[in-house]
Amino acid sequence: MAALWVAGVGRKSLTVVASGAPRREFWSRLRKEKQPVVAETVEEVKKEPILVCPPLRSQAYIPPKDLQSRLESHVKEVFGSSVPTSWQEISLEDVHMKFSFLARLADDLGHAVPNSRLHQMCRCWRRLLRVPWTAERSNQSILKEISPEYSLEGLMLKLKLQYFGHLCEELTHLKRP
Amino acid sequence: MQQLVRAGARAWLRPRGCRGLSALTEEAVQSAEKPEPLANAGPQAPVLRRCELPVPLHRRPVQAWVESLRGYEQERVGLTELHPDVFSTAPRLDILHQVAIWQKNFKRISYAKTKTRAEVRGGGRKPWQQKGSGRARHGSIRSPIWRGGGVAHGPRGPTSYYYMLPMKVRVQGLKVALTVKLAQDDLHIVDSLELPTTDPQYLMELARYRRWGDSVLFVDLEHEDMPQNVVAATSGLKTFNLIPAIGLNVHSMLKHQTLVLTLPTVAFLEEKLLWHDSRYTPLYPFRLPYRDFP
């Protein structure tokens, strides 16, 4: 009898699948009292702690007076014992170190380096102390020291051979089908 | 038996919001304590991305923060390197203008058409004799100087304004647009577009908190792999739009105030856009298969 009743229920749900309203009415008859109360309290309790937006921060940034000491402490935290003579001349070439240092600094000061200026924060930090977040461009002077070591003739030969190879490959590739 | 059926029905008919909220509580608990085992937690495992494609010797990669959309305050989840020839190229505003105008005009077909004096009904007979009537001489009542006559130099039929800019110009336009967005702090890199809710209000508040602006363009890699939450949230908003990476174009980038790219999208764009710098001239159209086409 239970099996027949289940089969009956199953048939009814199958026939009613296409139309949503009779299905909803059918099931709502079974648990009208329970569902609305439970769902509402559950939703109210769960919504509040998550989707609350923190208060808007002000865009004005005033560097604190103890900026130097804060920078020094962060440098020591991140770089530890591998700090050279003056902590102001650390190099931020390593991406991991750079990220950890700048993230800690941003969390501490409440102001982060914008994306457009991140690539300029690489070497000397004295300018950071004088005028925060308006770093001067001096990368070219550093990069002038790097002299590329390759010959133009070798490069030309390499390009010619590459083109020849490319032509042969593409033409044979075309001919096959 | 009845209890089993009821339980099954309840599970089947439970609204999606409840399931999402139960997942939310777990995430809230985890984010409050910050012990997340995934690679996009804060100080424990920063998301660092190096530029895979070769960078020219005289240039250094540009960098950007990797953010996360999962929480309001997850603004520095990692650091990524961006190729300088894509994200720090010369700011060619003329190329941007060319490409934007091309995008606007190449699809345009103007259907305006007017009738000339030959097409206007009537006007085959000379209205009055040449001499003797005292009036001005006319040959037809539908000439352009007559009221009701044809138009002399009007629009003639559907006109197409189709033209194609060279492929390299269009590619350069995309690179310049990305450069401009990064240089003006309107570009944000995100590890993935996963949101904690489907609520569009969450996205709006997030954009307001992070000061992104009124309109945001989200770019994911593939149309099929977009998370459901962000699809539902952006479909409910007018100024927050979601496109796949192949749909990125200069007009959309200029129209939206902020551009949000995912890390896979950045890799995809770099590969596709840089290939044109060092490719050979096509021996046959690119729509046919090439061995090294990205």
Side-chain angles (χ1 to χ4, degrees):
Chain A
M1 209 179 90
L4 279 171
W5 185 84
V6 162
V9 162
R11 237 181 279 136
K12 187 161 188 177
S13 63
L14 278 172
T15 51
V16 160
V17 152
S19 51
R23 180 180 69 194
R24 260 179 256 131
E25 283 165 15
F26 173 76
W27 290 114
S28 67
R29 267 181 252 141
L30 293 177
R31 40 184 179 81
K32 228 184 210 175
E33 299 117 15
K34 286 186 199 168
Q35 199 204 12
V37 172
V38 171
E40 276 170 15
T41 51
V42 159
E43 282 179 33
E44 279 167 17
V45 162
K46 286 177 182 176
K47 256 184 189 170
E48 284 166 22
I50 305 155
L51 297 173
V52 171
C53 182
L56 286 173
R57 307 158 286 192
S58 76
Q59 283 181 309
Y61 167 68
I62 302 159
K65 286 175 188 169
D66 59 338
L67 184 63
Q68 288 216 24
S69 54
R70 284 203 207 188
L71 280 172
E72 201 170 345
S73 61
H74 282 300
V75 164
K76 280 175 188 161
E77 267 177 35
V78 171
F79 291 86
S81 58
S82 62
V83 177
T85 48
S86 164
W87 66 268
Q88 290 171 353
E89 284 172 27
I90 43 157
S91 151
L92 290 182
E93 298 297 328
D94 181 27
V95 187
H96 198 98
M97 302 293 227
K98 187 167 180 174
F99 170 75
S100 41
F101 178 66
L102 288 178
R104 277 168 201 260
L105 204 59
D107 291 333
D108 189 20
L109 297 173
H111 183 92
V113 182
N115 283 344
S116 51
R117 293 202 187 272
L118 262 179
H119 68 282
Q120 292 170 350
M121 305 268 158
C122 66
R123 290 269 179 132
C124 188
W125 291 96
R126 285 182 193 151
R127 60 181 113 96
L128 180 69
L129 294 171
R130 277 181 222 143
V131 190
W133 313 130
T134 54
E136 291 146 24
R137 289 195 56 106
S138 64
N139 281 353
Q140 270 120 21
S141 58
I142 298 165
L143 290 166
K144 263 180 213 169
E145 296 164 9
I146 302 169
S147 51
E149 291 163 2
Y150 52 81
S151 72
L152 277 176
E153 293 163 359
L155 189 66
M156 278 164 57
L157 182 65
K158 191 176 151 199
L159 285 173
K160 278 185 199 168
L161 290 171
Q162 258 185 354
Y163 187 57
F164 181 67
H166 170 79
L167 272 180
C168 291
E169 275 187 21
E170 294 303 332
L171 291 172
T172 50
H173 186 64
L174 267 184
K175 274 179 199 165
R176 267 178 220 150
Chain B
M1 186 55 78
Q2 283 184 15
Q3 281 173 7
L4 276 175
V5 170
R6 273 185 210 162
R10 218 174 289 138
W12 180 42
L13 284 176
R14 188 178 300 146
R16 242 188 276 162
C18 271
R19 222 186 309 130
L21 288 164
S22 61
L24 269 175
T25 45
E26 291 164 7
E27 280 187 22
V29 164
Q30 282 178 8
S31 62
E33 298 163 18
K34 284 191 189 174
E36 282 181 57
L38 304 170
N40 42 12
Q44 295 187 358
V47 179
L48 302 170
R49 180 190 163 259
R50 286 217 160 264
C51 199
E52 290 112 26
L53 299 159
V55 173
L57 287 172
H58 65 288
R59 301 220 52 188
R60 308 287 296 284
V62 208
Q63 288 167 343
W65 294 112
V66 177
E67 305 180 19
S68 176
L69 297 179
R70 291 186 186 85
Y72 287 104
E73 309 218 358
Q74 292 194 23
E75 278 175 316
R76 286 173 293 275
V77 161
L79 199 70
T80 176
E81 287 193 339
L82 306 170
H83 200 284
D85 286 344
V86 175
F87 288 91
S88 174
T89 182
R92 292 285 305 269
L93 298 183
D94 61 319
I95 292 187
L96 266 189
H97 176 261
Q98 276 181 28
V99 177
I101 297 297
W102 167 77
Q103 263 191 273
K104 190 177 163 193
N105 284 338
F106 84 104
K107 290 181 271 197
R108 179 181 170 206
I109 303 177
S110 86
Y111 297 95
K113 185 173 184 179
T114 53
K115 290 183 165 34
T116 56
R117 60 183 290 173
E119 291 164 358
V120 176
R121 184 86 169 161
R125 185 180 62 207
K126 194 168 171 63
W128 46 78
Q129 64 202 16
Q130 180 81 358
K131 300 185 73 63
S133 66
R135 289 175 283 186
R137 50 190 179 178
H138 290 292
S140 104
I141 57 166
R142 300 300 188 201
S143 86
I145 58 177
W146 278 68
R147 175 192 173 277
V151 177
H153 294 294
R156 292 300 300 154
T159 328
S160 159
Y161 291 82
Y162 173 80
Y163 66 103
M164 290 304 283
L165 286 175
M167 193 189 286
K168 291 189 183 177
V169 172
R170 287 176 270 142
V171 165
Q172 188 64 23
L174 280 172
K175 291 177 186 167
V176 170
L178 288 168
T179 305
V180 159
K181 281 294 180 195
L182 178 66
Q184 297 183 334
D185 290 325
D186 291 327
L187 180 71
H188 299 274
I189 313 280
V190 151
D191 54 350
S192 81
L193 288 178
E194 284 167 11
L195 298 179
T197 56
T198 58
D199 190 16
Q201 195 63 26
Y202 169 76
L203 260 189
M204 285 184 66
E205 293 199 349
L206 185 81
R208 212 167 119 251
Y209 178 72
R210 295 192 186 174
R211 301 201 188 265
W212 281 356
D214 293 324
S215 48
V216 181
L217 184 65
F218 294 94
V219 186
D220 203 349
L221 185 61
E222 298 261 334
H223 188 75
E224 293 86 18
D225 300 333
M226 290 175 183
Q228 288 302 314
N229 280 356
V230 74
V231 170
T234 48
S235 59
L237 292 169
K238 194 173 167 189
T239 52
F240 287 58
N241 296 312
L242 177 64
I243 54 169
I246 46 171
L248 191 64
N249 59 89
V250 166
H251 178 265
S252 297
M253 284 203 268
L254 294 176
K255 184 75 180 171
H256 293 80
Q257 285 182 349
T258 315
L259 181 64
V260 174
L261 302 176
T262 56
L263 282 174
T265 310
V266 169
F268 173 83
L269 285 174
E270 284 185 350
E271 195 198 346
K272 288 275 183 181
L273 295 177
L274 284 171
W275 180 74
H276 290 278
D277 277 346
S278 58
R279 66 168 168 91
Y280 295 111
T281 180
L283 303 168
Y284 48 90
F286 282 122
R287 56 187 169 79
L288 298 173
Y290 266 87
R291 204 176 285 257
D292 57 344
F293 194 81

